[in-house]
Amino acid sequence: MLRLLIGGRSLPNCESNYFSKLLHSSRCLHTSYSPIPNYIQTSSNESRSHSREIDIDLLFHSSTNTHLAKRLHALLIVLGKVQSLFLSTRLLNLYSNLGHISLCQQTFDQISEKDVYTWNSIISAYVRNGIPSDAVNSLYKMLKYEVKPDFYTFPPVLKACRNLNDGSRIHSLILRTGMEWDVFVAASLVHMYCRFGLFDAAYQIFENMPFRDMGCWNAIISGFCQNGKGEKALEVLEEMRIEGIKMDSVTVSTILPVCAQMDDMVQGRLTHLYVVKHGLELDLFVGNAFINFYAKFGELEQAQKVFDSLVTRDLISWNSIIAAYEQNNNPDRALNFFHEMLMYGFKPDLLTLVSVASSIAQSRESQSSRCVHGFILRRCWFEKDVIIGNAVVDMYAKLGDVDSARKLFYKISLKDVVSWNTMITGYGQNGLANEAIEVYHTMVETEYVTPNQGTWASIIPAYAHIGALKEGAATHGRVLKTGQLFDVFIGTCLIDLYGKCGKMEDTMNLFNEVSKTSSVPWNAVISCLGIHGHGETSLKLFRDMIDDGVQPDTITFISLLSACSHSGLVEQGEWCFDVMQQDYGIKPGLKHYGCLVDLLGRAGQLEKAYNFIKNMPLQPDASVWGALLGACRIHGNADLGKLASDRLLEVDPDNVGYYVLLSNIYANAGKWDGVNRVRSLANSKGLKKTPGWSSIELNNKMEVFYTGNQSHPQCDEIYGELENLTAKMKILGYIPDYSFVLQDVEEDEKQHILSSHSERLAIAYGIINTPARTPIRIFKNLRVCGDCHTATKFISRITEREIIVRDSNRFHNFKDGVCSCGDYW
């Protein structure tokens, strides 16, 4: 019960007290400031006696919501106290704290003689309630009324500045009033200049301050940290240490993200020691900062220890530990913490759901994705923040549910650049490069969105995927205009683009231009050299990488093993596999094992490859057995191929490609019963073979040809050109290899089938529509068949053209009747 204090003794309870009833009665007060009802204007001695003795201070403290604040306001009007400048200003502050800015403004307007305290209050009210422009305008009005600002005026108004022009004017005013050396004003100036990126001005003010408290040090350190000036922040921290000023929880929480950004684990650990030594480890903000710090370095055990040591935990603590495991590819643990958080009664916010959505995508929990989507829908969070919409689109895309991703993407009303980048990346990750390019074109036409680094990193791989060299080169030009060419990620994407489009000279030129301090560009160029059959060069580049002091990672050795496989470098590949473990402590993953099986299998060492699989410490997955099955297809080993296919159907029964491989093995061996049996099994599962197609880019248009295509406008010319080429090829010694015809038909039909393979149609189209002796670039979605490989060598010789064919596995550069792969692919 509210009790009113009278001269040190308490009044009766609220129900028996006149003014207490007045304050709490719903009948007495109006939301506007209209005249008070007549019955309140009593003249009884009892009423006047109570009015003189009411504890106004207690009533102010007891007004904890807008409803009670309005009643108090009316009571002050009744008592005639509303004319008090102090009480009116205090009422203004009460409304401000309750978030009712319109009542603040009305109260302020009714004050006839405003002093500096009143103006400071309305300025702070505007800042506190998110109306910075009105705060700055109030300062200018204050000056017009010739009210002189004091030390309390400038900190909130400097915080409210949204442009440098206002900030500079206010700084000039501070200099004229002689308040520049007040510690709070100076700290606010430091914050303001840091916010606008004027670090020299901020630091000059900081350096010239005669006295600097903890807030000033934290202000300058925070300003540098938030604007990517980590090294400068650490310099100021060292200066602070030399002056004997101890870090507090704010300093620690500010500096740890900088240590993470600069990969400075040593400074972070020293900070942790400092925290323990000075008893700050129990501070909640410090604990949360250390969870995030250790998570950035993948030190999950340390992050877990910090989390477990927290005496109290808030939502930020739970979000931090969930994000720690999610960002370090441990989605199951992240989801376990999410469930534990719910058990403790914490309600998730947007950041929680962003991490949960990513964890679900990593763990492939497609059923849970619908639960998260529904949870967000029920709270209307998609309308509140675009970030959560982007996260759910990304979740669906990573789960392979592109339809759901697309539907949600188009429902997001205010898409930002991240929304577009997410959809482009989602299509690209699911092999839908053309769809990714369509979304990109729509994005470019959208006025309010400007492509950024993430856009280029998303769309360039899509161009590389389909071999769209011209569009990719045009994007390269846009990147040059933005000045982002030397960004390591974009530069690496462009290296990959030119490498996958057969332009190795451009690839190497770009590689020489980008920063090579990380393994990322090295991995890309090693991979590109590998698919072009330059295994020896890839190995040399690896040695250069080591000499430059760049640490190889797991991707480096996947690229190296793949390069050795494409070039038949068995001994070198086995050496890489050993070096990876012995010299660099990298534990082989399934992709490494798959590459080595592929290396041995392509070289014809099928039994050795099979024994290697049997002795693997990991359970072989589809990539490992698929490599063995592909080798059996090359070397015609039907028995081992059947064994590999049986294992494949156990681990990946719905991949139609493996059925096709086994069917091809049987067809090559003339076992048509086996072919029919495998095809029937695939049909019974509703699986359909991916149709073979080849594309060629001419006149800024991508032409796509399917095997046996008869619908192209130049169909007759194309087949006529192929007939002429076949006749000339036979004169030079070409003999069709009917083993690549996987149907049991007559020989003349087999000849027609070979001639109508998609890559030959695309090559003929290129010959017809381009000048003589100019290069032709073809992209094929499947591997080139052996007969087409032989035919293309003859065509390059006959037409005196360079023909570059990129299939699903590698590059073939045909010139003068020779292929760059050396007939090994």
Side-chain angles (χ1 to χ4, degrees), residues 622-623 626 629 645 648-649 652 655-663 678:
S623 67
L629 182 60
S645 69
L648 272 170
L649 299 184
D652 193 4
N655 190 321
V656 69
Y658 302 138
Y659 293 87
V660 173
L661 272 175
L662 182 59
S663 174
V678 172

Side-chain angles (χ1 to χ4, degrees), residues 85-216:
L85 182 62
F86 172 75
L87 289 179
S88 294
T89 305
R90 190 174 181 185
L91 191 63
L92 185 159
N93 289 328
L94 175 61
Y95 284 134
S96 172
N97 291 330
L98 293 171
H100 218 306
I101 193 65
S102 60
L103 291 178
C104 285
Q105 183 66 62
Q106 290 178 39
T107 305
F108 177 78
D109 291 341
Q110 290 177 1
I111 300 173
S112 55
E113 296 294 331
K114 305 176 180 71
D115 63 2
V116 65
Y117 173 57
T118 310
W119 283 100
N120 290 349
S121 297
I122 193 65
I123 289 171
S124 296
Y126 283 129
V127 174
R128 185 180 295 116
N129 288 277
I131 314 176
S133 57
D134 284 1
V136 176
N137 290 335
S138 293
L139 173 66
Y140 296 148
K141 289 178 184 177
M142 174 183 177
L143 297 173
K144 282 185 180 179
Y145 285 103
E146 297 184 351
V147 178
K148 185 178 178 181
D150 65 8
F151 297 112
Y152 297 100
T153 309
F154 294 110
V157 83
L158 285 169
K159 183 179 179 180
C161 286
R162 289 297 176 267
N163 61 72
L164 187 58
N165 186 40
D166 281 331
S168 299
R169 290 177 65 185
I170 295 168
H171 191 180
S172 298
L173 178 61
I174 291 169
L175 292 172
R176 289 200 301 273
T177 56
M179 299 182 191
E180 67 271 23
W181 302 131
D182 176 80
V183 65
F184 298 108
V185 174
S188 299
L189 281 168
V190 169
H191 270 300
M192 187 267 294
Y193 280 118
C194 284
R195 198 166 67 247
F196 293 121
L198 298 177
F199 305 108
D200 291 339
Y203 193 65
Q204 185 177 0
I205 293 169
F206 175 78
E207 284 283 275
N208 293 330
M209 290 173 67
F211 170 75
R212 291 176 288 204
D213 67 355
M214 198 69 236
C216 295

Side-chain angles (χ1 to χ4, degrees), residues 272-409:
H272 200 167
L273 288 173
Y274 178 94
V275 163
V276 173
K277 182 178 178 181
H278 291 84
L280 295 174
E281 71 270 21
L282 298 182
D283 184 276
L284 184 60
F285 295 105
V286 171
N288 293 341
F290 270 111
I291 293 171
N292 290 321
F293 168 76
Y294 284 119
K296 290 290 189 297
F297 287 95
E299 296 277 347
L300 293 180
E301 187 176 343
Q302 288 295 328
Q304 181 72 61
K305 284 181 180 179
V306 174
F307 179 79
D308 292 340
S309 69
L310 292 177
V311 178
T312 58
R313 296 168 186 156
D314 61 3
L315 183 59
I316 296 172
S317 310
W318 289 99
N319 284 349
S320 297
I321 196 67
I322 291 169
Y325 282 101
E326 173 262 319
Q327 292 166 4
N328 286 279
N329 303 315
N330 196 334
D332 295 334
R333 195 84 176 97
L335 293 173
N336 287 340
F337 270 109
F338 172 64
H339 295 309
E340 188 177 339
M341 165 188 156
L342 297 177
M343 288 174 59
Y344 277 100
F346 285 89
K347 293 182 180 179
D349 64 0
L350 289 168
L351 291 178
T352 319
L353 270 297
V354 168
S355 294
V356 169
S358 177
S359 298
I360 289 171
Q362 291 179 44
S363 62
R364 314 299 294 175
E365 287 280 349
S366 56
Q367 188 172 358
S368 299
S369 66
R370 298 294 175 185
C371 298
V372 169
H373 192 168
F375 184 92
I376 296 167
L377 274 177
R378 288 192 296 274
R379 286 154 183 79
C380 301
W381 284 357
F382 288 122
E383 288 76 20
K384 288 183 181 178
D385 200 320
V386 70
I387 293 174
I388 192 65
N390 297 341
V392 178
V393 170
D394 183 62
M395 175 186 73
Y396 279 129
K398 286 178 177 174
L399 288 170
D401 189 354
V402 182
D403 288 339
S404 295
R406 182 182 62 253
K407 289 175 184 176
L408 180 58
F409 170 75

Side-chain angles (χ1 to χ4, degrees), residues 204-264:
Q204 185 177 0
I205 293 169
F206 175 78
E207 284 283 275
N208 293 330
M209 290 173 67
F211 170 75
R212 291 176 288 204
D213 67 355
M214 198 69 236
C216 295
W217 287 99
N218 286 340
I220 192 68
I221 291 172
S222 175
F224 283 128
C225 290
Q226 293 173 9
N227 289 275
K229 302 285 184 180
E231 291 183 3
K232 191 65 180 175
L234 291 177
E235 287 178 15
V236 175
L237 183 68
E238 179 63 18
E239 183 182 342
M240 172 179 158
R241 188 190 65 79
I242 292 171
E243 291 195 16
I245 298 173
K246 296 180 179 180
M247 291 191 290
D248 63 5
S249 60
V250 176
T251 321
V252 174
S253 302
T254 302
I255 208 68
L256 280 175
V258 176
C259 297
Q261 291 168 12
M262 297 176 65
D263 289 330
D264 194 344

